[in-house]
PDB file of all heavy atoms in Angstrom:
ATOM      1  N   SER A  61     141.279  65.292  98.880  1.00  0.00           N
ATOM      2  CA  SER A  61     139.874  64.940  99.223  1.00  0.00           C
ATOM      3  C   SER A  61     139.567  63.636  98.465  1.00  0.00           C
ATOM      4  O   SER A  61     140.020  63.433  97.317  1.00  0.00           O
ATOM      5  CB  SER A  61     139.033  66.079  98.694  1.00  0.00           C
ATOM      6  OG  SER A  61     137.652  65.594  98.914  1.00  0.00           O
ATOM      7  N   LEU A  62     138.683  62.887  99.083  1.00  0.00           N
ATOM      8  CA  LEU A  62     138.287  61.607  98.492  1.00  0.00           C
ATOM      9  C   LEU A  62     137.103  61.877  97.682  1.00  0.00           C
ATOM     10  O   LEU A  62     136.572  60.967  97.028  1.00  0.00           O
ATOM     11  CB  LEU A  62     137.946  60.571  99.601  1.00  0.00           C
ATOM     12  CG  LEU A  62     139.055  60.182 100.567  1.00  0.00           C
ATOM     13  CD1 LEU A  62     138.495  59.316 101.712  1.00  0.00           C
ATOM     14  CD2 LEU A  62     140.200  59.466  99.693  1.00  0.00           C
ATOM     15  N   LEU A  63     136.578  63.028  97.661  1.00  0.00           N
ATOM     16  CA  LEU A  63     135.274  63.336  96.863  1.00  0.00           C
ATOM     17  C   LEU A  63     135.556  63.406  95.309  1.00  0.00           C
ATOM     18  O   LEU A  63     136.535  64.032  94.917  1.00  0.00           O
ATOM     19  CB  LEU A  63     134.633  64.672  97.274  1.00  0.00           C
ATOM     20  CG  LEU A  63     133.667  64.573  98.408  1.00  0.00           C
ATOM     21  CD1 LEU A  63     134.255  64.211  99.723  1.00  0.00           C
ATOM     22  CD2 LEU A  63     132.941  65.838  98.553  1.00  0.00           C
ATOM     23  N   GLY A  90     132.929  64.295 109.090  1.00  0.00           N
ATOM     24  CA  GLY A  90     133.787  63.448 108.327  1.00  0.00           C
ATOM     25  C   GLY A  90     134.658  64.275 107.416  1.00  0.00           C
ATOM     26  O   GLY A  90     134.334  64.591 106.209  1.00  0.00           O
ATOM     27  N   SER A  91     135.803  64.771 107.835  1.00  0.00           N
ATOM     28  CA  SER A  91     136.653  65.819 107.073  1.00  0.00           C
ATOM     29  C   SER A  91     137.932  65.071 106.641  1.00  0.00           C
ATOM     30  O   SER A  91     138.584  65.643 105.763  1.00  0.00           O
ATOM     31  CB  SER A  91     136.904  66.909 107.838  1.00  0.00           C
ATOM     32  OG  SER A  91     135.664  67.641 108.171  1.00  0.00           O
ATOM     33  N   TYR A  92     138.482  64.084 107.329  1.00  0.00           N
ATOM     34  CA  TYR A  92     139.727  63.463 106.954  1.00  0.00           C
ATOM     35  C   TYR A  92     140.796  64.478 106.825  1.00  0.00           C
ATOM     36  O   TYR A  92     141.123  65.199 107.738  1.00  0.00           O
ATOM     37  CB  TYR A  92     139.490  62.508 105.871  1.00  0.00           C
ATOM     38  CG  TYR A  92     140.660  61.652 105.383  1.00  0.00           C
ATOM     39  CD1 TYR A  92     141.539  61.063 106.253  1.00  0.00           C
ATOM     40  CD2 TYR A  92     140.858  61.390 104.010  1.00  0.00           C
ATOM     41  CE1 TYR A  92     142.545  60.287 105.891  1.00  0.00           C
ATOM     42  CE2 TYR A  92     141.863  60.638 103.634  1.00  0.00           C
ATOM     43  CZ  TYR A  92     142.740  60.048 104.629  1.00  0.00           C
ATOM     44  OH  TYR A  92     143.824  59.235 104.244  1.00  0.00           O
ATOM     45  N   GLY A  95     140.033  68.084 102.794  1.00  0.00           N
ATOM     46  CA  GLY A  95     139.783  68.552 101.462  1.00  0.00           C
ATOM     47  C   GLY A  95     138.419  69.157 101.178  1.00  0.00           C
ATOM     48  O   GLY A  95     138.349  70.380 100.676  1.00  0.00           O
ATOM     49  N   SER A  96     137.336  68.479 101.481  1.00  0.00           N
ATOM     50  CA  SER A  96     136.000  69.015 101.284  1.00  0.00           C
ATOM     51  C   SER A  96     135.750  70.270 102.172  1.00  0.00           C
ATOM     52  O   SER A  96     135.052  71.198 101.748  1.00  0.00           O
ATOM     53  CB  SER A  96     134.835  67.993 101.323  1.00  0.00           C
ATOM     54  OG  SER A  96     135.004  67.350 102.531  1.00  0.00           O
ATOM     55  N   ASP A 117     135.763  65.781 112.974  1.00  0.00           N
ATOM     56  CA  ASP A 117     136.434  64.607 112.829  1.00  0.00           C
ATOM     57  C   ASP A 117     137.248  64.191 113.953  1.00  0.00           C
ATOM     58  O   ASP A 117     137.803  65.062 114.753  1.00  0.00           O
ATOM     59  CB  ASP A 117     137.349  64.678 111.482  1.00  0.00           C
ATOM     60  CG  ASP A 117     137.543  63.313 110.911  1.00  0.00           C
ATOM     61  OD1 ASP A 117     138.092  62.390 111.476  1.00  0.00           O
ATOM     62  OD2 ASP A 117     137.006  63.145 109.686  1.00  0.00           O
ATOM     63  N   THR A 118     137.549  63.014 114.105  1.00  0.00           N
ATOM     64  CA  THR A 118     138.577  62.665 115.107  1.00  0.00           C
ATOM     65  C   THR A 118     140.013  63.141 114.664  1.00  0.00           C
ATOM     66  O   THR A 118     140.918  63.281 115.467  1.00  0.00           O
ATOM     67  CB  THR A 118     138.800  61.040 115.241  1.00  0.00           C
ATOM     68  OG1 THR A 118     139.137  60.510 113.981  1.00  0.00           O
ATOM     69  CG2 THR A 118     137.440  60.504 115.740  1.00  0.00           C
ATOM     70  N   GLY A 121     141.356  58.951 112.504  1.00  0.00           N
ATOM     71  CA  GLY A 121     140.789  57.729 111.907  1.00  0.00           C
ATOM     72  C   GLY A 121     139.490  57.333 112.551  1.00  0.00           C
ATOM     73  O   GLY A 121     139.015  57.919 113.597  1.00  0.00           O
ATOM     74  N   MET A 122     138.915  56.271 111.972  1.00  0.00           N
ATOM     75  CA  MET A 122     137.551  55.754 112.289  1.00  0.00           C
ATOM     76  C   MET A 122     137.677  55.167 113.773  1.00  0.00           C
ATOM     77  O   MET A 122     138.560  54.565 114.211  1.00  0.00           O
ATOM     78  CB  MET A 122     137.307  54.552 111.440  1.00  0.00           C
ATOM     79  CG  MET A 122     136.884  54.824 110.100  1.00  0.00           C
ATOM     80  SD  MET A 122     135.142  55.389 110.015  1.00  0.00           S
ATOM     81  CE  MET A 122     135.032  55.808 108.418  1.00  0.00           C
ATOM     82  N   PRO A 123     136.441  55.467 114.370  1.00  0.00           N
ATOM     83  CA  PRO A 123     136.352  54.815 115.804  1.00  0.00           C
ATOM     84  C   PRO A 123     135.786  53.439 115.532  1.00  0.00           C
ATOM     85  O   PRO A 123     135.899  52.920 114.481  1.00  0.00           O
ATOM     86  CB  PRO A 123     135.225  55.788 116.369  1.00  0.00           C
ATOM     87  CG  PRO A 123     134.384  56.243 115.205  1.00  0.00           C
ATOM     88  CD  PRO A 123     135.343  56.324 114.042  1.00  0.00           C
ATOM     89  N   PHE A 137     141.699  55.678 107.725  1.00  0.00           N
ATOM     90  CA  PHE A 137     141.835  57.186 107.635  1.00  0.00           C
ATOM     91  C   PHE A 137     142.623  57.751 108.799  1.00  0.00           C
ATOM     92  O   PHE A 137     142.392  58.972 109.113  1.00  0.00           O
ATOM     93  CB  PHE A 137     140.390  57.912 107.524  1.00  0.00           C
ATOM     94  CG  PHE A 137     139.439  57.385 106.459  1.00  0.00           C
ATOM     95  CD1 PHE A 137     138.389  56.624 106.813  1.00  0.00           C
ATOM     96  CD2 PHE A 137     139.802  57.488 105.029  1.00  0.00           C
ATOM     97  CE1 PHE A 137     137.584  56.154 105.770  1.00  0.00           C
ATOM     98  CE2 PHE A 137     138.921  57.007 104.122  1.00  0.00           C
ATOM     99  CZ  PHE A 137     137.853  56.375 104.506  1.00  0.00           C
ATOM    100  N   GLY A 163     137.593  65.465 117.503  1.00  0.00           N
ATOM    101  CA  GLY A 163     136.973  64.505 118.487  1.00  0.00           C
ATOM    102  C   GLY A 163     135.975  63.637 117.938  1.00  0.00           C
ATOM    103  O   GLY A 163     135.575  63.788 116.785  1.00  0.00           O
ATOM    104  N   LEU A 164     135.474  62.769 118.701  1.00  0.00           N
ATOM    105  CA  LEU A 164     134.322  61.955 118.288  1.00  0.00           C
ATOM    106  C   LEU A 164     133.055  62.798 118.214  1.00  0.00           C
ATOM    107  O   LEU A 164     132.830  63.678 119.092  1.00  0.00           O
ATOM    108  CB  LEU A 164     133.991  60.857 119.297  1.00  0.00           C
ATOM    109  CG  LEU A 164     135.149  59.756 119.254  1.00  0.00           C
ATOM    110  CD1 LEU A 164     134.883  58.746 120.536  1.00  0.00           C
ATOM    111  CD2 LEU A 164     134.796  58.783 118.089  1.00  0.00           C
ATOM    112  N   PHE A 165     132.304  62.665 117.291  1.00  0.00           N
ATOM    113  CA  PHE A 165     131.107  63.492 117.112  1.00  0.00           C
ATOM    114  C   PHE A 165     130.141  63.488 118.347  1.00  0.00           C
ATOM    115  O   PHE A 165     129.706  64.594 118.710  1.00  0.00           O
ATOM    116  CB  PHE A 165     130.104  63.017 115.966  1.00  0.00           C
ATOM    117  CG  PHE A 165     130.820  62.772 114.617  1.00  0.00           C
ATOM    118  CD1 PHE A 165     130.451  61.668 113.808  1.00  0.00           C
ATOM    119  CD2 PHE A 165     131.802  63.726 114.175  1.00  0.00           C
ATOM    120  CE1 PHE A 165     130.994  61.574 112.514  1.00  0.00           C
ATOM    121  CE2 PHE A 165     132.334  63.501 112.927  1.00  0.00           C
ATOM    122  CZ  PHE A 165     131.960  62.510 112.178  1.00  0.00           C
ATOM    123  N   ASP A 185     129.841  62.848 105.880  1.00  0.00           N
ATOM    124  CA  ASP A 185     130.796  61.999 105.087  1.00  0.00           C
ATOM    125  C   ASP A 185     131.569  61.067 105.916  1.00  0.00           C
ATOM    126  O   ASP A 185     132.843  61.180 105.886  1.00  0.00           O
ATOM    127  CB  ASP A 185     131.594  62.863 104.173  1.00  0.00           C
ATOM    128  CG  ASP A 185     132.556  62.006 103.298  1.00  0.00           C
ATOM    129  OD1 ASP A 185     132.365  60.837 103.082  1.00  0.00           O
ATOM    130  OD2 ASP A 185     133.504  62.616 102.586  1.00  0.00           O
ATOM    131  N   CYS A 186     130.868  60.309 106.846  1.00  0.00           N
ATOM    132  CA  CYS A 186     131.618  59.558 107.831  1.00  0.00           C
ATOM    133  C   CYS A 186     131.491  58.036 107.626  1.00  0.00           C
ATOM    134  O   CYS A 186     131.887  57.344 108.496  1.00  0.00           O
ATOM    135  CB  CYS A 186     131.287  60.058 109.226  1.00  0.00           C
ATOM    136  SG  CYS A 186     129.564  59.763 109.678  1.00  0.00           S
ATOM    137  N   ASP A 187     130.769  57.668 106.601  1.00  0.00           N
ATOM    138  CA  ASP A 187     130.846  56.245 106.082  1.00  0.00           C
ATOM    139  C   ASP A 187     129.982  55.157 106.994  1.00  0.00           C
ATOM    140  O   ASP A 187     129.696  54.075 106.329  1.00  0.00           O
ATOM    141  CB  ASP A 187     132.225  55.735 105.917  1.00  0.00           C
ATOM    142  CG  ASP A 187     133.126  56.605 104.942  1.00  0.00           C
ATOM    143  OD1 ASP A 187     132.439  57.398 104.221  1.00  0.00           O
ATOM    144  OD2 ASP A 187     134.260  56.398 104.957  1.00  0.00           O
ATOM    145  N   ILE A 188     129.903  55.332 108.201  1.00  0.00           N
ATOM    146  CA  ILE A 188     129.393  54.231 109.077  1.00  0.00           C
ATOM    147  C   ILE A 188     128.145  54.472 109.856  1.00  0.00           C
ATOM    148  O   ILE A 188     127.864  55.654 109.942  1.00  0.00           O
ATOM    149  CB  ILE A 188     130.582  53.755 109.948  1.00  0.00           C
ATOM    150  CG1 ILE A 188     130.990  54.911 110.855  1.00  0.00           C
ATOM    151  CG2 ILE A 188     131.768  53.066 109.201  1.00  0.00           C
ATOM    152  CD1 ILE A 188     132.091  54.515 111.838  1.00  0.00           C
ATOM    153  N   PRO A 191     127.499  56.536 113.815  1.00  0.00           N
ATOM    154  CA  PRO A 191     127.559  57.962 113.846  1.00  0.00           C
ATOM    155  C   PRO A 191     126.536  58.664 112.960  1.00  0.00           C
ATOM    156  O   PRO A 191     126.030  59.744 113.364  1.00  0.00           O
ATOM    157  CB  PRO A 191     129.017  58.219 113.392  1.00  0.00           C
ATOM    158  CG  PRO A 191     129.662  56.949 113.472  1.00  0.00           C
ATOM    159  CD  PRO A 191     128.636  55.888 113.358  1.00  0.00           C
TER     160      PRO A 191
HETATM  161  C1  SAM B   1     135.670  59.241 104.044  1.00  0.00           C
HETATM  162  S1  SAM B   1     136.437  60.211 105.273  1.00  0.00           S
HETATM  163  C2  SAM B   1     136.032  61.851 105.005  1.00  0.00           C
HETATM  164  C3  SAM B   1     136.544  62.336 103.647  1.00  0.00           C
HETATM  165  C4  SAM B   1     136.552  63.799 103.345  1.00  0.00           C
HETATM  166  N1  SAM B   1     135.266  64.547 103.487  1.00  0.00           N
HETATM  167  C5  SAM B   1     137.274  64.227 102.174  1.00  0.00           C
HETATM  168  O1  SAM B   1     137.059  65.381 101.615  1.00  0.00           O
HETATM  169  O2  SAM B   1     138.094  63.451 101.666  1.00  0.00           O
HETATM  170  C6  SAM B   1     135.498  59.663 106.754  1.00  0.00           C
HETATM  171  C7  SAM B   1     135.963  60.345 108.050  1.00  0.00           C
HETATM  172  O3  SAM B   1     135.024  60.222 108.918  1.00  0.00           O
HETATM  173  C8  SAM B   1     135.664  60.237 110.302  1.00  0.00           C
HETATM  174  N2  SAM B   1     134.679  59.684 111.274  1.00  0.00           N
HETATM  175  C9  SAM B   1     133.879  58.609 111.224  1.00  0.00           C
HETATM  176  N3  SAM B   1     133.217  58.329 112.371  1.00  0.00           N
HETATM  177  C10 SAM B   1     133.574  59.332 113.177  1.00  0.00           C
HETATM  178  C11 SAM B   1     133.016  59.799 114.513  1.00  0.00           C
HETATM  179  N4  SAM B   1     132.157  59.060 115.207  1.00  0.00           N
HETATM  180  N5  SAM B   1     133.648  60.845 115.089  1.00  0.00           N
HETATM  181  C12 SAM B   1     134.548  61.590 114.365  1.00  0.00           C
HETATM  182  N6  SAM B   1     134.943  61.302 113.182  1.00  0.00           N
HETATM  183  C13 SAM B   1     134.494  60.236 112.543  1.00  0.00           C
HETATM  184  C14 SAM B   1     136.886  59.432 110.164  1.00  0.00           C
HETATM  185  O4  SAM B   1     137.935  59.668 110.982  1.00  0.00           O
HETATM  186  C15 SAM B   1     137.234  59.843 108.642  1.00  0.00           C
HETATM  187  O5  SAM B   1     138.274  60.762 108.650  1.00  0.00           O
END
Side-chain angles (χ1 to χ4, degrees):
S61 175
L62 300 175
L63 268 67
S91 299
Y92 185 35
S96 47
D117 204 297
T118 62
M122 283 281 173
F137 307 110
L164 289 166
F165 304 144
D185 184 12
C186 62
D187 298 349
I188 54 176

